[in-house]
Amino acid sequence: MSKVRKGDRVQVVSGDDRGRIGRVLAVVPEKNRIIVENVNMITKHQRATQSLREPGIIKREGTIHVSNVLPICPECDEATRVGHAEVEGRKMRRCKRCGETFE
Ligand SMILES: [Zn+2]
């Protein structure tokens, strides 16, 4: 089970976007990489095509390694390392700061 899941709020802890907070848009589990909104923006030059008349510059998020982020605990609102916990048969994550469990 990954420490970071799609839809999580995470904080970037290394690299150019260090300190930035965003939501996880996608997870690539086999590569341990994720896409976080507004993090690692890469610029693509787009040519005009039949479906896209206006050529121009498109910005989109590139993947970053999962080790570059920490999830933000929904209870204490801090970026934290998480452990695993099982609560009533459900696999939860436990915040190492405040001890609360969350999904
Ligand atoms: Zn917490």
Side-chain angles (χ1 to χ4, degrees):
M1 188 173 66
S2 172
K3 63 169 187 162
V4 172
R5 298 178 189 175
K6 187 177 175 182
D8 279 356
R9 283 177 75 224
V10 296
Q11 182 164 25
V12 180
V13 293
S14 64
D16 290 343
D17 290 312
R18 186 178 188 154
R20 195 167 285 185
I21 290 171
R23 205 162 283 280
V24 177
L25 301 176
V27 178
V28 190
E30 60 271 22
K31 290 185 176 168
N32 283 323
R33 298 185 75 83
I34 58 174
I35 294 172
V36 182
E37 63 177 351
N38 295 321
V39 171
N40 194 24
M41 298 303 290
I42 49 182
T43 303
K44 293 198 104 183
H45 295 270
Q46 184 71 53
R47 288 173 194 275
T49 62
Q50 284 188 332
S51 60
L52 192 77
R53 297 241 175 81
E54 292 288 321
I57 293 169
I58 291 179
K59 284 192 142 191
R60 64 176 180 84
E61 290 90 351
T63 64
I64 59 172
H65 197 264
V66 72
S67 65
N68 290 339
V69 303
L70 286 176
I72 293 174
C73 171
E75 296 297 328
C76 65
D77 206 37
E78 297 279 352
T80 181
R81 292 187 299 125
V82 293
H84 296 318
E86 200 166 297
V87 179
E88 293 167 358
R90 291 160 76 194
K91 287 188 174 147
M92 309 284 281
R93 290 173 290 175
R94 184 188 301 278
C95 171
K96 292 198 173 172
R97 283 181 186 265
C98 70
E100 286 294 324
T101 54
F102 57 94
E103 227 166 342

